[in-house]
Amino acid sequence: MKSIWRAFLLLHYLNFHKIMCFRCDRRPYGSTAPASPPDGRFHLNVLGVENHAYLPEQVYTAQITSTDGESKFTGFMISAEGDTRQDPKNPRRLISLFPGDIRPQKIETAKFSDRCLYSVEQATRTWKTSVEVFWQAPPTGHGCVTLRAVVVENDEQWFEDGAPLTQKICEDLRQPDDMSPLINYDCQICDEAKYEISFTGVWSRNTHPRLYPENVWVPRFSDLVGASHDVDYLMWIPGNLAGEGMRDLAEHANSSKLETEIREKIGDGVRTLIKGKGHGYRKMNNPTFAIFRADKKNHLVSVAVALHPSPDWFLGVTRFELCQEDNTWLRERELNLFPWDAGTDSGVSYESPNIETYPQDTISRVAMSSYDKKSPFYQTTMTEMHPFGKLHIKFIRSYHRECEDEEETTETTSPEGDLESTSTTETPTTEESEGPFEPKPPSSEDPIVFDQDSSEECPMSEWQAWSSCEGPCDHGHVKGYQWRVRYHLVDGIAVEKYDPYNQHTLNLEVPKYCKNHVEDFQRKECFEKCSEDYDEHEDEIKMERRIISEIMPGSSWGGSSRKNTKH
């Protein structure tokens, strides 16, 4: 009995070793003839691969074709062989890396090989001029993969390996635009930065027609939500589980919970909450804008925009670095965005029914080049796909901050009673002064006057004086616009009113309802005589336009509306 058991184990080991060793017997069934050298009539191609480089986890089509259009074959085998590396547990031993999955495209023509691992062979011995199978590339970090083909004309004439029947493909180390650059853990920029971030949707029936929702009024983008933050804060990141806020955004295009999570971290890893209005029917391709601040500590930005309808797909960037290696602020960057999967719903298409992923999976790239015909990404690689949106990050201005050692900083009390450590005075770098800037305490000479007509829920300051009439001087008259502003009041403090003497860093937030329903900017047409010394006031006019551009970031002086942005 023991001898039979030993014989069984030996046979099992030999069979297992035969399968695990790539150089298994790929000789045609029943043939005793050796392989002939390839004569160039048959060729192995991998469709979708450029410059012999594959994108990790993408699905490609491996194809055997006759080069003359006439030659035929009856049998074949296509195999994938991974790189070899030293075994970390035993450096004297080599191990083979995973080469990806080979699978039949049509069960009528191909099947999994029962002789060789990671191989597909003919299902029937019928004459054919070409055959195609799927190859899904391995995950990142698996180096190069060699695809080998065997082509059988008959039992006595068959070919294997050689240049026409072998393709070596290596991982494409280039990353998509929305992959984050390396983090600068030693940012030494003392000046603060002000940025404009905009999202423009591209997703449409024209750019992504496969399985696009039939009802044109259904597709939309959620609000743009994000934060400028430090290196310890994680809004979302590939490989981690999505939080409740990200889950709600990705599954339902609802940003409320995520906004609350970010707001709770302001001052504790987050500098600015980023918020931009989402767009839907007829406005899908309209850009949405937001303003945010970055500083020496909070020099990363993360944002997300959900696709609706979708199982749990979203666009965005995470931990995007603004502080460059040479310790200068990034000036401008446009990023192409492709979908991410939040790992909470297992649907495969935009309008799939809700299928909760249990247990919850980690955030990852949406499965491109899917085998599933119900997927909008069926047999489509990222290199062939239009981006779903574009993100534009643009530097606006900087605010001067003096560099001081932490031990030299002084503690001051903010109006809310919180103790803050401050060591700088904010001065716009674009502002010109005749002498050195000397901070002064806030003066009570020009107090903010409460508008008696505003409500207790949304207190406002009184309207400021109308600006001078802005416009070109033509035939002695100026025809243009005048504008005036007022400010939201929080705890008696005018939010967003620039005060160069204020040394306090205030995290005061205007309620969303007040921002959306209470007017804080007015404009009207005007028609006045040109001043006699019009040319002499040219510098003053330029200064007024500069002020307008600060009040209406990213807009011309003649804009009709202005949105508040929390600093």
Side-chain angles (χ1 to χ4, degrees):
M1 189 67 180
K2 289 185 178 179
S3 60
I4 296 176
W5 178 247
R6 289 176 181 173
F8 173 80
L9 291 178
L10 178 61
L11 180 62
H12 185 272
Y13 171 80
L14 291 176
N15 286 335
F16 180 78
H17 185 267
K18 183 179 179 181
I19 292 293
M20 291 304 293
C21 177
F22 177 78
R23 288 299 180 182
C24 59
D25 186 5
R26 299 189 294 161
R27 187 188 308 271
Y29 292 103
S31 175
T32 58
S36 303
D39 57 12
R41 289 182 296 126
F42 302 103
H43 194 274
L44 174 65
N45 294 309
V46 183
L47 306 182
V49 167
E50 298 180 0
N51 302 317
H52 299 282
Y54 68 81
L55 291 174
E57 299 185 289
Q58 299 298 298
V59 177
Y60 298 94
T61 297
Q63 179 187 68
I64 298 176
T65 58
S66 61
T67 57
D68 57 12
E70 298 179 356
S71 299
K72 296 182 179 181
F73 57 95
T74 60
F76 72 92
M77 180 183 288
I78 299 178
S79 305
E81 176 185 358
D83 260 352
T84 57
R85 293 183 183 174
Q86 287 183 331
D87 186 345
K89 298 180 180 179
N90 183 3
R92 293 179 295 178
R93 178 174 174 265
L94 294 179
I95 57 175
S96 295
L97 299 181
F98 176 55
D101 285 321
I102 290 275
R103 64 180 67 185
Q105 192 173 99
K106 297 180 180 179
I107 60 174
E108 298 85 3
T109 58
K111 67 175 184 176
F112 290 105
S113 174
D114 55 6
R115 298 182 293 166
C116 300
L117 194 63
Y118 308 124
S119 300
V120 167
E121 58 187 353
Q122 76 281 344
T124 58
R125 293 289 292 268
T126 56
W127 291 102
K128 50 187 77 69
T129 57
S130 66
V131 69
E132 294 181 347
V133 302
F134 288 127
W135 170 62
Q136 183 173 20
T140 185
H142 282 68
C144 298
V145 175
T146 302
L147 297 180
R148 303 180 187 276
V150 171
V151 178
V152 182
E153 285 190 294
N154 52 61
D155 291 346
E156 302 300 322
Q157 183 81 2
W158 61 283
F159 313 93
E160 72 170 335
D161 297 345
L165 298 177
T166 301
Q167 292 282 350
K168 186 172 183 178
I169 310 168
C170 298
E171 180 181 353
D172 189 345
L173 298 178
R174 297 172 300 172
Q175 297 287 355
D177 280 353
D178 53 359
M179 294 297 289
S180 301
L182 294 177
I183 295 177
N184 182 358
Y185 287 97
D186 189 30
C187 182
Q188 296 297 322
I189 307 177
C190 297
D191 291 351
E192 294 188 0
K194 182 178 182 181
Y195 279 92
E196 175 189 83
I197 187 168
S198 65
F199 168 77
T200 304
V202 177
W203 180 42
S204 69
R205 190 184 302 280
N206 293 329
T207 57
H208 303 83
R210 183 174 175 81
L211 300 179
Y212 190 82
E214 288 295 327
N215 296 328
V216 294
W217 59 86
V218 172
R220 65 182 177 90
F221 293 106
S222 74
D223 290 346
L224 171 72
V225 182
S228 59
H229 56 87
D230 63 18
V231 297
D232 295 322
Y233 176 77
L234 295 178
M235 179 175 136
W236 69 272
I237 189 169
N240 282 16
L241 297 177
E244 287 301 315
M246 279 300 301
R247 178 174 189 149
D248 219 25
L249 178 77
E251 290 189 6
H252 308 295
N254 187 338
S255 64
S256 299
K257 190 173 293 185
L258 181 58
E259 290 176 46
T260 300
E261 292 176 357
I262 296 172
R263 190 175 292 114
E264 290 174 350
K265 287 292 184 178
I266 292 178
D268 183 24
V270 170
R271 169 68 192 264
T272 308
L273 168 65
I274 296 172
K275 177 70 181 294
K277 182 177 176 58
H279 294 305
Y281 180 53
R282 294 185 181 276
K283 297 182 179 181
M284 286 279 286
N285 304 123
N286 287 8
T288 184
F289 298 90
I291 301 294
F292 69 90
R293 295 279 189 100
D295 55 41
K296 182 178 179 180
K297 181 181 179 183
N298 304 285
H299 48 87
L300 303 177
V301 61
S302 298
V303 295
V305 178
L307 299 175
H308 179 83
S310 76
D312 57 348
W313 301 342
F314 66 96
L315 311 175
V317 296
T318 180
R319 294 161 66 81
F320 187 85
E321 182 61 82
L322 302 171
C323 181
Q324 301 182 107
E325 289 184 359
D326 60 354
N327 283 310
T328 60
W329 289 116
L330 176 75
R331 307 308 290 186
E332 191 169 7
R333 182 76 180 273
E334 184 172 85
L335 308 171
N336 292 322
L337 304 181
F338 296 90
W340 293 93
D341 188 323
T344 60
D345 191 297
S346 298
V348 297
S349 189
Y350 301 121
E351 297 180 287
S352 294
N354 290 332
I355 307 172
E356 183 179 359
T357 301
Y358 185 82
Q360 181 177 338
D361 204 350
T362 58
I363 297 174
S364 63
R365 183 69 73 183
V366 168
M368 300 292 173
S369 305
S370 171
Y371 298 116
D372 196 330
K373 292 185 178 180
K374 297 179 181 179
S375 167
F377 313 114
Y378 175 68
Q379 294 189 23
T380 304
T381 66
M382 193 177 295
T383 57
E384 300 170 333
M385 185 182 299
H386 291 286
F388 276 62
K390 293 180 180 289
L391 195 71
H392 189 224
I393 302 173
K394 183 179 180 181
F395 175 86
I396 298 178
R397 62 182 296 182
S398 63
Y399 296 89
H400 180 64
R401 295 283 188 177
E402 296 293 339
C403 292
E404 292 186 15
D405 295 332
E406 292 184 4
E407 58 268 18
E408 296 178 2
T409 62
T410 59
E411 291 186 340
T412 59
T413 305
S414 69
E416 295 87 6
D418 296 329
L419 212 56
E420 282 188 14
S421 176
T422 61
S423 60
T424 59
T425 302
E426 180 176 290
T427 309
T429 57
T430 55
E431 185 175 86
E432 297 179 1
S433 57
E434 297 179 357
F437 181 77
E438 297 181 359
K440 298 180 181 179
S443 172
S444 60
E445 295 178 1
D446 299 309
I448 296 297
V449 181
F450 173 70
D451 186 350
Q452 299 296 330
D453 294 331
S454 63
S455 65
E456 294 184 3
E457 293 79 12
C458 299
M460 302 292 293
S461 71
E462 287 190 341
W463 287 102
Q464 306 294 299
W466 286 100
S467 69
S468 58
C469 190
E470 282 284 343
C473 182
D474 186 21
H475 300 292
H477 287 83
V478 174
K479 184 177 182 181
Y481 295 92
Q482 290 177 287
W483 55 268
R484 66 175 183 173
V485 298
R486 61 177 178 172
Y487 303 99
H488 291 276
L489 300 180
V490 178
D491 296 334
I493 298 173
V495 178
E496 296 181 345
K497 178 176 173 60
Y498 173 66
D499 184 355
Y501 304 124
N502 189 1
Q503 298 183 8
H504 306 290
T505 302
L506 304 178
N507 290 320
L508 302 180
E509 183 174 356
V510 179
K512 185 176 180 180
Y513 176 85
C514 299
K515 282 188 175 183
N516 294 337
H517 294 83
V518 180
E519 188 180 30
D520 61 354
F521 178 84
Q522 289 182 343
R523 189 189 69 167
K524 66 179 181 180
E525 294 184 353
C526 58
F527 185 78
E528 298 179 359
K529 289 185 178 181
C530 300
S531 59
E532 296 180 0
D533 54 348
Y534 180 81
D535 292 338
E536 296 179 4
H537 289 285
E538 184 175 353
D539 289 339
E540 295 180 14
I541 294 173
K542 289 181 179 179
M543 178 62 72
E544 288 179 354
R545 289 179 176 174
R546 183 189 302 173
I547 295 172
I548 296 173
S549 69
E550 286 300 308
I551 295 175
M552 303 171 61
S555 303
S556 63
W557 63 271
S560 60
S561 64
R562 180 174 72 92
K563 292 188 176 181
N564 289 291
T565 305
K566 180 180 180 294
H567 293 324

